[in-house]
Amino acid sequence: MQNPNPPSKMFIDIVSELRLMIKTEGVKIGDKLPSERVLAEKLQVGRSTVREALRSLELLGLIETRRGEGTFLADFKKHQLVEVLSDFVMQQPNSATDVDNTRSIHERAAIQTICGDPAKHALPVWESLYANLEESGSVLREDIIREMIVAANNRLSLKIWFILRQYSKIPFSQMTDEGEKPIVAELLLGIIQGDENKALSAYSQWIDEIEGGK
């Protein structure tokens, strides 16, 4: 009899079951996971469905299958998600633009979150960055953006941003130049004052300035 659940729902169930099992049973990196048979029985799906889901997770480097031994939890820090993005996503003509647009969404959302929370826009890091900019004339671009994403306190957004940052056209690893200084100062002041419109406007001008100078 055909299983009424669509394949995508089966995959989600399997991933959810693995996540719950890892959490409740305290499974650590290198520990063995339940067999295909056990997972199939728990989820009431066919072993072939379980096998395909596990194969997908293995391709991402989240689990590791050892012949004759079983399936083990892999080191998530070494997973191949970035390589998968590179091989399959970045080959599309508009991928670079899509990456930067998505990255910008996360950065703008972080600014809005910070400006809307007095505790976040009062963090000493903004005064420190502003003082450093005034004293030395420049700061590392990535330091500003990274601190904004971190301060927003959204771990998923932070992980996504780190991946997108690797494929961004923006040269984050460079120091700000003289033309960027007043714009970056305005951005930091906007954050310090909790002025969302001011900060977002300066952010947009800053990105335009960087892209125009590449």
Side-chain angles (χ1 to χ4, degrees):
M1 183 175 69
Q2 186 176 5
N3 195 308
N5 293 328
S8 60
K9 182 61 164 60
M10 291 180 184
F11 180 82
I12 292 172
D13 285 344
I14 293 168
V15 173
S16 297
E17 180 71 20
L18 283 171
R19 183 177 61 182
L20 180 61
M21 180 270 298
I22 289 169
K23 180 179 179 180
T24 57
E25 298 184 15
V27 179
K28 298 180 176 59
I29 293 171
D31 286 353
K32 189 174 181 178
L33 300 180
S35 66
E36 291 178 4
R37 179 182 61 79
V38 171
L39 286 174
E41 290 176 354
K42 284 185 176 181
L43 296 170
Q44 297 183 340
V45 297
R47 289 184 64 174
S48 61
T49 302
V50 172
R51 189 175 301 117
E52 288 303 313
L54 293 176
R55 186 175 301 165
S56 297
L57 294 175
E58 186 173 23
L59 286 173
L60 292 175
L62 299 175
I63 61 174
E64 177 185 4
T65 300
R66 303 172 192 168
R67 187 178 297 275
E69 296 183 43
T71 303
F72 299 81
L73 183 64
D75 186 348
F76 71 92
K77 294 180 181 178
K78 298 179 181 178
H79 70 71
Q80 304 300 308
L81 180 56
V82 172
E83 287 76 6
V84 170
L85 281 173
S86 178
D87 291 341
F88 295 98
V89 179
M90 297 305 294
Q91 301 303 318
Q92 302 302 316
N94 296 324
S95 290
T97 299
D98 290 343
V99 163
D100 275 325
N101 287 341
T102 306
R103 193 210 75 248
S104 181
I105 289 172
H106 285 271
E107 293 167 1
R108 294 177 66 87
I111 291 172
Q112 292 174 315
T113 298
I114 295 165
C115 288
D117 186 335
K120 295 185 187 303
H121 64 71
L123 290 171
V125 64
W126 316 123
E127 293 281 1
S128 177
L129 285 168
Y130 184 82
N132 192 23
L133 179 66
E134 291 297 302
E135 292 171 8
S136 64
S138 65
V139 292
L140 187 66
R141 291 167 176 165
E142 184 169 359
D143 284 349
I144 300 171
I145 301 295
R146 185 188 63 251
E147 291 298 340
M148 292 193 312
I149 301 294
V150 170
N153 199 29
N154 185 320
R155 287 181 293 177
L156 178 58
S157 181
L158 178 63
K159 292 177 181 178
I160 293 172
W161 182 82
F162 270 119
I163 292 172
L164 296 173
R165 177 249 178 276
Q166 297 187 56
Y167 295 103
S168 174
K169 301 191 301 290
I170 302 295
F172 282 103
S173 60
Q174 295 181 14
M175 304 293 288
T176 57
D177 60 30
E178 191 62 29
E180 296 170 57
K181 181 179 177 180
I183 305 173
V184 172
E186 188 77 356
L187 168 60
L188 291 171
L189 285 174
I191 291 176
I192 292 168
Q193 296 164 1
D195 189 332
E196 179 181 317
N197 291 332
K198 181 177 183 177
L200 286 174
S201 177
Y203 165 80
S204 296
Q205 292 178 49
W206 183 32
I207 298 301
D208 288 344
E209 175 74 15
I210 296 173
E211 291 181 332
K214 287 188 302 182

